[in-house]
mmCIF file of all heavy atoms in Angstrom:
data_model
loop_
_atom_site.group_PDB
_atom_site.id
_atom_site.type_symbol
_atom_site.label_atom_id
_atom_site.label_comp_id
_atom_site.label_asym_id
_atom_site.label_seq_id
_atom_site.Cartn_x
_atom_site.Cartn_y
_atom_site.Cartn_z
ATOM 1 N N PHE A 60 -136.603 -3.059 110.380
ATOM 2 C CA PHE A 60 -135.566 -2.129 109.847
ATOM 3 C C PHE A 60 -134.195 -2.848 109.784
ATOM 4 O O PHE A 60 -133.322 -2.587 108.949
ATOM 5 C CB PHE A 60 -135.396 -0.900 110.675
ATOM 6 C CG PHE A 60 -134.770 -1.045 112.058
ATOM 7 C CD1 PHE A 60 -133.406 -0.933 112.275
ATOM 8 C CD2 PHE A 60 -135.597 -1.365 113.151
ATOM 9 C CE1 PHE A 60 -132.845 -1.117 113.495
ATOM 10 C CE2 PHE A 60 -135.086 -1.514 114.385
ATOM 11 C CZ PHE A 60 -133.681 -1.444 114.517
ATOM 12 N N LEU A 64 -131.516 -3.200 106.774
ATOM 13 C CA LEU A 64 -130.058 -2.959 106.894
ATOM 14 C C LEU A 64 -129.301 -4.145 106.256
ATOM 15 O O LEU A 64 -128.319 -3.940 105.559
ATOM 16 C CB LEU A 64 -129.739 -2.760 108.330
ATOM 17 C CG LEU A 64 -128.322 -2.483 108.766
ATOM 18 C CD1 LEU A 64 -128.302 -1.672 110.053
ATOM 19 C CD2 LEU A 64 -127.463 -3.797 108.968
ATOM 20 N N ARG A 67 -129.285 -4.075 102.666
ATOM 21 C CA ARG A 67 -128.406 -3.139 102.034
ATOM 22 C C ARG A 67 -127.026 -3.373 102.154
ATOM 23 O O ARG A 67 -126.247 -3.291 101.082
ATOM 24 C CB ARG A 67 -128.614 -1.743 102.908
ATOM 25 C CG ARG A 67 -129.916 -1.015 102.700
ATOM 26 C CD ARG A 67 -129.963 0.250 103.377
ATOM 27 N NE ARG A 67 -131.327 0.927 103.138
ATOM 28 C CZ ARG A 67 -131.675 2.051 103.806
ATOM 29 N NH1 ARG A 67 -130.768 2.668 104.570
ATOM 30 N NH2 ARG A 67 -132.765 2.626 103.458
ATOM 31 N N ALA A 201 -120.494 -1.012 109.896
ATOM 32 C CA ALA A 201 -121.523 -0.306 110.505
ATOM 33 C C ALA A 201 -121.530 1.276 110.371
ATOM 34 O O ALA A 201 -122.549 1.838 110.114
ATOM 35 C CB ALA A 201 -121.412 -0.507 112.119
ATOM 36 N N LEU A 202 -120.259 1.785 110.225
ATOM 37 C CA LEU A 202 -120.149 3.273 110.056
ATOM 38 C C LEU A 202 -120.647 3.616 108.670
ATOM 39 O O LEU A 202 -121.213 4.620 108.406
ATOM 40 C CB LEU A 202 -118.725 3.740 110.246
ATOM 41 C CG LEU A 202 -118.321 3.859 111.803
ATOM 42 C CD1 LEU A 202 -116.900 4.273 111.831
ATOM 43 C CD2 LEU A 202 -119.253 5.025 112.339
ATOM 44 N N THR A 204 -122.861 2.034 106.960
ATOM 45 C CA THR A 204 -124.254 1.880 106.967
ATOM 46 C C THR A 204 -124.900 3.094 107.496
ATOM 47 O O THR A 204 -125.886 3.548 107.029
ATOM 48 C CB THR A 204 -124.695 0.663 107.816
ATOM 49 O OG1 THR A 204 -124.039 -0.493 107.230
ATOM 50 C CG2 THR A 204 -126.140 0.478 107.849
ATOM 51 N N VAL A 205 -124.261 3.579 108.569
ATOM 52 C CA VAL A 205 -124.828 4.808 109.327
ATOM 53 C C VAL A 205 -124.689 6.040 108.302
ATOM 54 O O VAL A 205 -125.661 6.809 108.100
ATOM 55 C CB VAL A 205 -124.054 5.130 110.601
ATOM 56 C CG1 VAL A 205 -124.490 6.504 111.113
ATOM 57 C CG2 VAL A 205 -124.289 4.106 111.652
ATOM 58 N N TRP A 206 -123.637 6.168 107.676
ATOM 59 C CA TRP A 206 -123.442 7.315 106.768
ATOM 60 C C TRP A 206 -124.435 7.237 105.609
ATOM 61 O O TRP A 206 -124.994 8.237 105.226
ATOM 62 C CB TRP A 206 -121.964 7.187 106.178
ATOM 63 C CG TRP A 206 -121.742 8.241 105.169
ATOM 64 C CD1 TRP A 206 -121.288 9.505 105.475
ATOM 65 C CD2 TRP A 206 -121.818 8.132 103.753
ATOM 66 N NE1 TRP A 206 -121.183 10.219 104.191
ATOM 67 C CE2 TRP A 206 -121.490 9.314 103.184
ATOM 68 C CE3 TRP A 206 -122.195 7.079 102.935
ATOM 69 C CZ2 TRP A 206 -121.414 9.665 101.784
ATOM 70 C CZ3 TRP A 206 -122.225 7.210 101.500
ATOM 71 C CH2 TRP A 206 -121.824 8.618 101.061
ATOM 72 N N TRP A 207 -124.759 5.997 105.079
ATOM 73 C CA TRP A 207 -125.724 5.890 104.028
ATOM 74 C C TRP A 207 -127.119 6.165 104.595
ATOM 75 O O TRP A 207 -127.942 6.933 103.922
ATOM 76 C CB TRP A 207 -125.710 4.554 103.463
ATOM 77 C CG TRP A 207 -126.565 4.399 102.239
ATOM 78 C CD1 TRP A 207 -127.747 3.710 102.204
ATOM 79 C CD2 TRP A 207 -126.347 5.000 100.916
ATOM 80 N NE1 TRP A 207 -128.297 3.846 100.893
ATOM 81 C CE2 TRP A 207 -127.464 4.526 100.174
ATOM 82 C CE3 TRP A 207 -125.261 5.747 100.370
ATOM 83 C CZ2 TRP A 207 -127.606 4.927 98.873
ATOM 84 C CZ3 TRP A 207 -125.471 6.128 99.050
ATOM 85 C CH2 TRP A 207 -126.615 5.790 98.280
ATOM 86 N N ALA A 208 -127.434 5.696 105.761
ATOM 87 C CA ALA A 208 -128.799 5.926 106.302
ATOM 88 C C ALA A 208 -129.010 7.401 106.594
ATOM 89 O O ALA A 208 -130.081 8.002 106.266
ATOM 90 C CB ALA A 208 -129.025 5.140 107.523
ATOM 91 N N VAL A 209 -127.994 8.102 107.151
ATOM 92 C CA VAL A 209 -128.204 9.561 107.445
ATOM 93 C C VAL A 209 -128.308 10.306 106.025
ATOM 94 O O VAL A 209 -129.147 11.268 105.919
ATOM 95 C CB VAL A 209 -126.861 10.071 108.178
ATOM 96 C CG1 VAL A 209 -126.889 11.575 108.170
ATOM 97 C CG2 VAL A 209 -126.884 9.437 109.576
ATOM 98 N N ARG A 210 -127.588 9.862 105.083
ATOM 99 C CA ARG A 210 -127.711 10.522 103.730
ATOM 100 C C ARG A 210 -129.087 10.384 103.176
ATOM 101 O O ARG A 210 -129.715 11.355 102.695
ATOM 102 C CB ARG A 210 -126.758 9.835 102.796
ATOM 103 C CG ARG A 210 -126.760 10.523 101.400
ATOM 104 C CD ARG A 210 -125.858 9.647 100.558
ATOM 105 N NE ARG A 210 -126.296 10.078 99.120
ATOM 106 C CZ ARG A 210 -125.536 10.432 98.202
ATOM 107 N NH1 ARG A 210 -124.576 10.448 98.458
ATOM 108 N NH2 ARG A 210 -125.914 10.717 96.980
ATOM 109 N N VAL A 212 -131.834 9.973 105.063
ATOM 110 C CA VAL A 212 -132.676 10.836 105.806
ATOM 111 C C VAL A 212 -132.648 12.209 105.280
ATOM 112 O O VAL A 212 -133.721 12.961 105.288
ATOM 113 C CB VAL A 212 -132.382 10.663 107.309
ATOM 114 C CG1 VAL A 212 -133.043 11.829 108.163
ATOM 115 C CG2 VAL A 212 -132.629 9.370 107.844
ATOM 116 N N VAL A 218 -137.719 8.239 106.163
ATOM 117 C CA VAL A 218 -136.956 8.822 107.340
ATOM 118 C C VAL A 218 -137.051 7.909 108.550
ATOM 119 O O VAL A 218 -135.993 7.775 109.246
ATOM 120 C CB VAL A 218 -137.581 10.210 107.687
ATOM 121 C CG1 VAL A 218 -136.921 10.730 108.966
ATOM 122 C CG2 VAL A 218 -137.311 11.168 106.498
ATOM 123 N N ALA A 219 -138.169 7.285 108.874
ATOM 124 C CA ALA A 219 -138.306 6.535 110.149
ATOM 125 C C ALA A 219 -137.409 5.262 110.118
ATOM 126 O O ALA A 219 -136.617 5.027 111.042
ATOM 127 C CB ALA A 219 -139.708 6.107 110.287
ATOM 128 N N THR A 220 -137.472 4.540 109.023
ATOM 129 C CA THR A 220 -136.630 3.428 108.852
ATOM 130 C C THR A 220 -135.076 3.697 108.914
ATOM 131 O O THR A 220 -134.466 2.994 109.569
ATOM 132 C CB THR A 220 -136.970 2.628 107.587
ATOM 133 O OG1 THR A 220 -138.341 2.172 107.628
ATOM 134 C CG2 THR A 220 -136.105 1.419 107.403
ATOM 135 N N ASN A 221 -134.748 4.720 108.147
ATOM 136 C CA ASN A 221 -133.292 5.044 108.111
ATOM 137 C C ASN A 221 -132.817 5.640 109.425
ATOM 138 O O ASN A 221 -131.652 5.483 109.807
ATOM 139 C CB ASN A 221 -133.089 6.047 107.013
ATOM 140 C CG ASN A 221 -133.052 5.349 105.587
ATOM 141 O OD1 ASN A 221 -132.193 4.556 105.285
ATOM 142 N ND2 ASN A 221 -134.068 5.774 104.709
ATOM 143 N N THR A 222 -133.695 6.312 110.120
ATOM 144 C CA THR A 222 -133.180 6.747 111.510
ATOM 145 C C THR A 222 -133.025 5.595 112.453
ATOM 146 O O THR A 222 -132.059 5.605 113.147
ATOM 147 C CB THR A 222 -134.393 7.691 112.051
ATOM 148 O OG1 THR A 222 -134.536 8.849 111.232
ATOM 149 C CG2 THR A 222 -133.940 8.154 113.436
ATOM 150 N N GLU A 223 -133.882 4.549 112.424
ATOM 151 C CA GLU A 223 -133.608 3.387 113.178
ATOM 152 C C GLU A 223 -132.451 2.620 112.807
ATOM 153 O O GLU A 223 -131.589 2.157 113.640
ATOM 154 C CB GLU A 223 -134.843 2.443 113.083
ATOM 155 C CG GLU A 223 -136.134 2.985 113.848
ATOM 156 C CD GLU A 223 -137.214 1.973 113.734
ATOM 157 O OE1 GLU A 223 -137.717 1.709 112.540
ATOM 158 O OE2 GLU A 223 -137.677 1.389 114.735
ATOM 159 N N ILE A 224 -132.168 2.545 111.477
ATOM 160 C CA ILE A 224 -130.942 1.885 110.985
ATOM 161 C C ILE A 224 -129.757 2.584 111.436
ATOM 162 O O ILE A 224 -128.818 1.972 111.950
ATOM 163 C CB ILE A 224 -131.002 1.900 109.420
ATOM 164 C CG1 ILE A 224 -132.007 0.756 108.966
ATOM 165 C CG2 ILE A 224 -129.587 1.410 108.866
ATOM 166 C CD1 ILE A 224 -132.264 0.859 107.485
ATOM 167 N N ALA A 225 -129.726 3.886 111.359
ATOM 168 C CA ALA A 225 -128.594 4.784 111.715
ATOM 169 C C ALA A 225 -128.232 4.594 113.201
ATOM 170 O O ALA A 225 -127.084 4.285 113.622
ATOM 171 C CB ALA A 225 -128.809 6.236 111.462
ATOM 172 N N GLY A 226 -129.289 4.595 114.128
ATOM 173 C CA GLY A 226 -129.110 4.363 115.475
ATOM 174 C C GLY A 226 -128.537 3.041 115.923
ATOM 175 O O GLY A 226 -127.657 2.891 116.678
ATOM 176 N N TRP A 227 -129.166 1.979 115.245
ATOM 177 C CA TRP A 227 -128.685 0.654 115.627
ATOM 178 C C TRP A 227 -127.275 0.336 115.128
ATOM 179 O O TRP A 227 -126.444 -0.151 115.842
ATOM 180 C CB TRP A 227 -129.656 -0.285 114.918
ATOM 181 C CG TRP A 227 -129.561 -1.714 115.321
ATOM 182 C CD1 TRP A 227 -130.121 -2.358 116.446
ATOM 183 C CD2 TRP A 227 -128.784 -2.817 114.653
ATOM 184 N NE1 TRP A 227 -129.802 -3.634 116.509
ATOM 185 C CE2 TRP A 227 -129.028 -3.984 115.458
ATOM 186 C CE3 TRP A 227 -127.953 -2.875 113.558
ATOM 187 C CZ2 TRP A 227 -128.389 -5.157 115.112
ATOM 188 C CZ3 TRP A 227 -127.385 -4.019 113.206
ATOM 189 C CH2 TRP A 227 -127.570 -5.169 113.961
ATOM 190 N N ALA A 228 -126.964 0.791 113.893
ATOM 191 C CA ALA A 228 -125.586 0.522 113.303
ATOM 192 C C ALA A 228 -124.568 1.344 114.159
ATOM 193 O O ALA A 228 -123.407 0.959 114.338
ATOM 194 C CB ALA A 228 -125.554 0.850 111.897
ATOM 195 N N TRP A 229 -124.953 2.591 114.616
ATOM 196 C CA TRP A 229 -124.025 3.474 115.304
ATOM 197 C C TRP A 229 -123.601 2.802 116.664
ATOM 198 O O TRP A 229 -122.421 2.817 117.007
ATOM 199 C CB TRP A 229 -124.674 4.754 115.591
ATOM 200 C CG TRP A 229 -123.851 5.904 116.156
ATOM 201 C CD1 TRP A 229 -123.752 6.207 117.519
ATOM 202 C CD2 TRP A 229 -122.880 6.672 115.532
ATOM 203 N NE1 TRP A 229 -122.892 7.179 117.711
ATOM 204 C CE2 TRP A 229 -122.283 7.566 116.494
ATOM 205 C CE3 TRP A 229 -122.453 6.815 114.162
ATOM 206 C CZ2 TRP A 229 -121.373 8.463 116.229
ATOM 207 C CZ3 TRP A 229 -121.559 7.751 113.829
ATOM 208 C CH2 TRP A 229 -120.910 8.620 114.831
ATOM 209 N N ARG A 230 -124.580 2.117 117.271
ATOM 210 C CA ARG A 230 -124.220 1.367 118.509
ATOM 211 C C ARG A 230 -123.257 0.220 118.217
ATOM 212 O O ARG A 230 -122.387 -0.027 119.063
ATOM 213 C CB ARG A 230 -125.450 0.935 119.286
ATOM 214 C CG ARG A 230 -126.359 2.022 119.782
ATOM 215 C CD ARG A 230 -127.399 1.463 120.720
ATOM 216 N NE ARG A 230 -128.382 0.763 119.940
ATOM 217 C CZ ARG A 230 -129.471 1.332 119.353
ATOM 218 N NH1 ARG A 230 -129.599 2.672 119.348
ATOM 219 N NH2 ARG A 230 -130.423 0.631 118.634
ATOM 220 N N TRP A 231 -123.398 -0.404 117.140
ATOM 221 C CA TRP A 231 -122.554 -1.560 116.786
ATOM 222 C C TRP A 231 -121.189 -0.982 116.514
ATOM 223 O O TRP A 231 -120.137 -1.554 116.741
ATOM 224 C CB TRP A 231 -123.098 -2.324 115.556
ATOM 225 C CG TRP A 231 -124.011 -3.443 115.990
ATOM 226 C CD1 TRP A 231 -125.362 -3.428 116.189
ATOM 227 C CD2 TRP A 231 -123.614 -4.790 116.439
ATOM 228 N NE1 TRP A 231 -125.887 -4.590 116.647
ATOM 229 C CE2 TRP A 231 -124.746 -5.501 116.880
ATOM 230 C CE3 TRP A 231 -122.395 -5.444 116.504
ATOM 231 C CZ2 TRP A 231 -124.805 -6.795 117.266
ATOM 232 C CZ3 TRP A 231 -122.315 -6.727 116.872
ATOM 233 C CH2 TRP A 231 -123.484 -7.421 117.356
ATOM 234 N N ALA A 232 -121.182 0.162 115.768
ATOM 235 C CA ALA A 232 -119.851 0.865 115.503
ATOM 236 C C ALA A 232 -119.110 1.212 116.770
ATOM 237 O O ALA A 232 -117.807 0.958 116.906
ATOM 238 C CB ALA A 232 -120.055 2.073 114.648
ATOM 239 N N THR A 287 -125.914 10.135 120.330
ATOM 240 C CA THR A 287 -126.827 9.026 120.595
ATOM 241 C C THR A 287 -127.825 8.840 119.289
ATOM 242 O O THR A 287 -128.280 7.645 119.138
ATOM 243 C CB THR A 287 -127.683 9.212 121.793
ATOM 244 O OG1 THR A 287 -128.369 10.542 121.700
ATOM 245 C CG2 THR A 287 -126.811 9.249 123.054
ATOM 246 N N ASN A 288 -127.991 9.964 118.571
ATOM 247 C CA ASN A 288 -128.814 9.850 117.360
ATOM 248 C C ASN A 288 -127.967 10.511 116.268
ATOM 249 O O ASN A 288 -127.944 11.781 116.058
ATOM 250 C CB ASN A 288 -130.172 10.638 117.526
ATOM 251 C CG ASN A 288 -131.053 10.540 116.228
ATOM 252 O OD1 ASN A 288 -130.726 9.651 115.423
ATOM 253 N ND2 ASN A 288 -132.011 11.268 116.306
ATOM 254 N N PRO A 289 -127.302 9.686 115.530
ATOM 255 C CA PRO A 289 -126.388 10.103 114.442
ATOM 256 C C PRO A 289 -127.057 10.900 113.396
ATOM 257 O O PRO A 289 -126.431 11.741 112.668
ATOM 258 C CB PRO A 289 -125.718 8.842 113.893
ATOM 259 C CG PRO A 289 -126.719 7.744 114.253
ATOM 260 C CD PRO A 289 -127.273 8.159 115.522
ATOM 261 N N VAL A 290 -128.348 10.785 113.235
ATOM 262 C CA VAL A 290 -129.065 11.574 112.191
ATOM 263 C C VAL A 290 -128.929 12.950 112.493
ATOM 264 O O VAL A 290 -129.012 13.822 111.539
ATOM 265 C CB VAL A 290 -130.516 11.070 112.016
ATOM 266 C CG1 VAL A 290 -131.414 12.022 111.216
ATOM 267 C CG2 VAL A 290 -130.632 9.613 111.582
ATOM 268 N N ASP A 291 -128.880 13.393 113.709
ATOM 269 C CA ASP A 291 -128.808 14.793 114.128
ATOM 270 C C ASP A 291 -127.369 15.411 113.903
ATOM 271 O O ASP A 291 -127.208 16.578 114.086
ATOM 272 C CB ASP A 291 -129.267 15.067 115.481
ATOM 273 C CG ASP A 291 -130.682 14.676 115.772
ATOM 274 O OD1 ASP A 291 -131.477 14.800 114.771
ATOM 275 O OD2 ASP A 291 -131.077 14.233 116.914
ATOM 276 N N VAL A 296 -120.886 12.058 111.685
ATOM 277 C CA VAL A 296 -120.858 10.801 110.975
ATOM 278 C C VAL A 296 -119.733 10.671 109.945
ATOM 279 O O VAL A 296 -118.951 9.833 109.761
ATOM 280 C CB VAL A 296 -122.268 10.447 110.437
ATOM 281 C CG1 VAL A 296 -122.202 9.169 109.603
ATOM 282 C CG2 VAL A 296 -123.125 10.350 111.561
#
Side-chain angles (χ1 to χ4, degrees):
F60 74 91
L64 180 153
R67 288 184 182 178
L202 280 177
T204 302
V205 173
W206 178 83
W207 184 255
V209 170
R210 178 187 165 130
V212 169
V218 173
T220 298
N221 282 296
T222 299
E223 288 183 296
I224 288 174
W227 192 85
W229 187 258
R230 290 190 292 274
W231 272 92
T287 55
N288 185 9
V290 171
D291 296 332
V296 172

